[in-house]
Amino acid sequence: MASSNRMPYSRRLFAWLVAYSLVLVGCVVFFQYRREKQFKAGELNERLQQINAEILDDMEAGVDFRAFRRAAAPEGMRVSVIDPEGRVVYDNTLDTLPAGNHLRREEIAAAMRDGSGYCLRRHSESTGGTYFYSARRGADGMVVRTAVPYSVSLHTLLKADYGFLWVIGSVTLLMCTLGYFATRRMGMHIRRLREFAEKAEKGERIYDSGSFPHDELGDISHNIVRLYASLQRATSERDREHAAALRDRREKEQIKKRLTENINHELKTPVAAIQACLETMVDHPDMDAVKRMEFTRRALANTGRLRQLLDDVALITRMEEGRHNITLGPVDLAGVIRETAAEHEADARARGIGIRLSLPPALPMTGNRQLLESVFNNLLDNALSYSGATEVSVTGGTTPSGGIRVTVADNGSGVGEEHLPRLFERFYRVDKGRSRAAGGTGLGLSIVRNAVALHGGSITVANRGGLEFDIDLPSNAK
C-alpha cells in the first residue's frame, strides 16, 4: 500500500484547486491590468493628440509654431517637430537639435505609418529624461510630437485601478472555501475506501458498518463495501461448510476404518471357534455321538453369533448411508414395545427376570418400524443379559411439548461411571469376556443411538440403582 507519509488525496486535490484558482485569477488580473493601463494611456494619448492636431492646424495656417509653442506650451510639456526625413526641426526643450534620424522611434514610425502613435515610456537621449510620447503626422508629412515627463504623478495616473482585485480576491477566497469543504467530503469517501482496500488486501474481516456521506459517491462506496462484506460472509460460510464436510468425511473414514478393524477382530472369534469344532470332528471320525453333538452345537452357536454380527453391521451401514434410504410411516410405538417385550418373555422367565410395562394404549408417531423394534430389542437384550437385575421396566407417554418419552430401566448393579460416556460406542464392552460369552456383538447400543437419531430424537443413560435409558422422540418424526 501507499506510504502513510504521503499527503492525503483530499489535500492534494485542494492544493490543485487553489493553484488552478490562483492561475485563473492571475490571468484575469494581468489581462485587466493591461487593459486598464492601455485604456488610461489611450486617454492621455487622446489629450496629447488633440494638442498635436492644433499645432498641425496652426502650421497649415502659416502660424509660426516656434514662437507660438515656445510661448504657449504648458509647463513641462515637450513639443517636437520632425520632418519627413526624420530630422528634428524643432524642440521646445532643446537649444541644440539632435542630429539623429527619428524615423525608427516607436511613436514616429506609427505616426508615419498610421497617422498617429504613442510610446508609453522611453528614455530620451537628448534630455536624459523619461517621457510619454504622442505623435501625429500632418498632410505634408511633417510630424508633431508632444511628450509628458514620466513622473510619479504620471505613473500614478496611468496605474491601473486595483479595486477590482478585492472583488476577485473575495471570489477566489469563497471558491477556495467551498472547494475545501467539497474536497474534504470527497476525502472522506476516499479515506473509507482506502481503509476498506487495506483490510481487503490483508484479508481482515470486514463488516457492513460505518457510514459514508449521503451522496451518489457515498451510496456507491457503501454498496461496494456492503457487497464485499456479503461476499466475505458467504465465502467464510462456504469455507466453514467445506471444512465441516471434510471433517465429517475424515470422521466417517476413521469410523469405517475402525469399524472394519473391529469387524475383522470380532469375526475372528466365531470363525475360529467354528473352524476348531469342524477340524476336531474331521480329525476324529470315530468320536462318540455325544461329543460330536457338543461340537456341532458349538459350531451352530458361533454361526448364529456370526449371522447376528453381520446383520448388525448391515443395519448400521444402512443407517449411515442416510435417512433418505430409511422409509418412514405411521407407527404405534406402544404396540412396537409390547410386541418386543412379548418376544423376550420366555428368555426373561428363564433368567428369573420380570418385565413390567407402563404404557398408554397408543403412542402414534412417524417412524420406521424395523428400526424402532431394533431399539427396544437391543435395550431389552442388554438388560436381560448383562444387568443382573430381577426386574426391567418400560414406561412411556407424551411430553408437554407434544413429543414422546420412553424410559427403559432395570434394578441391577449398573456400570461404573467411567463407562457411561462410552456405552454407545461400537464394540465397546464393559466386561469383554462376559459379553462375548453371552453372545453379544458389541453393536447393540450403537444401533440404538443411531436409530433414535435418525428419528430426530435423543437418548441418555444414567445410573439410578441400575441403568436407566431415557429416549425422547418427536411424534411427527420425518
Side-chain angles (χ1 to χ4, degrees):
M1 297 300 293
S3 172
S4 58
N5 295 325
R6 189 175 65 179
M7 181 184 294
Y9 179 78
S10 59
R11 294 184 181 177
R12 286 186 283 134
L13 184 62
F14 178 68
W16 277 107
L17 179 62
V18 171
Y20 171 78
S21 300
L22 292 178
V23 170
L24 179 62
V25 169
C27 293
V28 172
V29 169
F30 178 76
F31 173 78
Q32 182 65 18
Y33 172 79
R34 295 271 305 195
R35 181 173 175 273
E36 188 168 355
K37 192 170 185 180
Q38 288 176 357
F39 174 75
K40 291 188 175 183
E43 285 186 335
L44 178 59
N45 180 55
E46 287 294 330
R47 293 197 295 269
L48 294 177
Q49 286 291 344
Q50 186 176 0
I51 296 174
N52 293 338
E54 292 176 358
I55 295 174
L56 286 173
D57 290 343
D58 290 344
M59 291 174 61
E60 292 177 359
V63 178
D64 186 359
F65 65 84
R66 293 177 178 82
F68 174 80
R69 284 301 168 189
R70 186 179 293 276
E75 183 178 356
M77 179 179 287
R78 182 182 177 186
V79 180
S80 304
V81 179
I82 298 93
D83 65 13
E85 284 74 28
R87 295 188 299 269
V88 178
V89 297
Y90 171 74
D91 192 303
N92 68 337
T93 61
L94 298 175
D95 294 328
T96 302
L97 298 175
N101 192 321
H102 283 54
L103 291 180
R104 293 186 177 180
R105 300 291 195 273
E106 181 181 348
E107 70 281 0
I108 302 299
M112 296 298 290
R113 183 180 66 250
D114 303 324
S116 65
Y118 71 91
C119 179
L120 185 63
R121 183 177 183 180
R122 192 178 74 245
H123 179 75
S124 174
E125 297 177 358
S126 302
T127 64
T130 303
Y131 295 90
F132 177 92
Y133 293 97
S134 178
R136 191 178 186 86
R137 176 174 55 82
D140 56 359
M142 298 295 285
V143 176
V144 175
R145 182 182 69 182
T146 53
V148 179
Y150 202 89
S151 59
V152 175
S153 60
L154 180 60
H155 176 74
T156 304
L157 176 65
L158 294 178
K159 187 177 181 180
D161 182 10
Y162 291 107
F164 76 97
L165 290 179
W166 290 103
V167 178
I168 296 296
S170 299
V171 172
T172 302
L173 181 60
L174 178 62
M175 290 174 58
C176 291
T177 302
L178 295 176
Y180 170 76
F181 287 106
T183 54
R184 188 179 70 170
R185 187 179 183 88
M186 183 176 294
M188 293 175 63
H189 293 291
I190 296 173
R191 185 177 67 255
R192 286 288 317 281
L193 287 175
R194 184 187 64 191
E195 293 172 355
F196 157 73
E198 290 175 350
K199 290 182 179 180
E201 184 181 36
K202 295 177 182 178
E204 295 181 7
R205 182 68 174 171
I206 296 176
Y207 299 94
D208 186 14
S209 61
S211 61
F212 286 91
H214 296 291
D215 53 27
E216 289 82 356
L217 183 58
D219 293 340
I220 293 173
S221 302
H222 180 71
N223 288 336
I224 291 174
V225 175
R226 185 178 61 188
L227 288 173
Y228 185 86
S230 299
L231 177 62
Q232 194 178 51
R233 286 194 297 270
T235 303
S236 178
E237 183 64 26
R238 181 204 62 190
D239 292 342
R240 281 197 299 270
E241 292 177 355
H242 182 64
L246 288 178
R247 185 167 56 253
D248 291 342
R249 182 177 177 182
R250 287 194 295 268
E251 289 178 355
K252 288 182 178 179
E253 288 176 352
Q254 292 175 357
I255 290 173
K256 287 182 178 179
K257 182 179 179 181
R258 288 197 301 268
L259 179 61
T260 301
E261 292 174 351
N262 290 333
I263 291 173
N264 182 55
H265 177 72
E266 293 294 328
L267 286 175
K268 286 181 179 179
T269 300
V271 169
I274 294 171
Q275 183 178 5
C277 291
L278 295 177
E279 287 178 350
T280 301
M281 288 189 292
V282 170
D283 292 340
H284 300 83
D286 55 347
M287 182 183 301
D288 63 79
V290 176
K291 285 286 186 182
R292 184 177 297 275
M293 181 58 65
E294 180 182 348
F295 281 108
T296 301
R297 287 174 178 169
R298 287 182 184 178
L300 182 61
N302 280 281
T303 301
R305 181 183 172 191
L306 182 61
R307 180 186 58 78
Q308 183 61 47
L309 177 62
L310 294 176
D311 289 342
D312 288 348
V313 170
L315 183 57
I316 286 181
T317 302
R318 181 186 171 197
M319 287 189 290
E320 285 186 343
E321 287 177 353
R323 296 181 61 181
H324 58 278
N325 293 322
I326 305 299
T327 302
L328 302 179
V331 178
D332 177 13
L333 186 60
V336 170
I337 296 173
R338 290 189 181 94
E339 291 178 8
T340 306
E343 292 175 359
H344 288 78
E345 278 293 337
D347 185 30
R349 283 196 300 270
R351 298 173 183 267
I353 301 174
I355 299 178
R356 180 173 58 84
L357 301 181
S358 178
L359 300 168
L363 286 173
M365 64 172 292
T366 301
N368 182 275
R369 186 179 185 87
Q370 180 183 357
L371 291 182
L372 292 173
E373 288 176 350
S374 69
V375 168
F376 295 100
N377 183 59
N378 279 290
L379 288 177
L380 290 174
D381 274 342
N382 189 72
L384 297 177
S385 300
Y386 311 119
S387 67
T390 59
E391 182 179 85
V392 177
S393 64
V394 182
T395 60
T398 57
T399 63
S401 61
I404 296 173
R405 165 164 284 198
V406 178
T407 300
V408 180
D410 63 68
N411 62 354
S413 58
V415 299
E417 291 294 328
E418 70 276 11
H419 297 295
L420 289 178
R422 303 189 62 186
L423 282 183
F424 296 106
E425 291 182 11
R426 294 167 185 172
F427 299 109
Y428 182 78
R429 293 183 175 91
V430 176
D431 185 346
K432 295 182 179 181
R434 181 183 175 191
S435 297
R436 284 199 177 94
T441 64
L443 295 174
L445 292 182
S446 177
I447 291 174
V448 169
R449 181 188 60 183
N450 289 343
V452 170
L454 279 174
H455 284 82
S458 62
I459 182 170
T460 58
V461 60
N463 278 313
R464 294 189 178 94
L467 279 182
E468 180 177 300
F469 293 88
D470 292 318
I471 303 171
D472 289 293
L473 293 167
S475 60
N476 57 342
K478 298 293 186 183

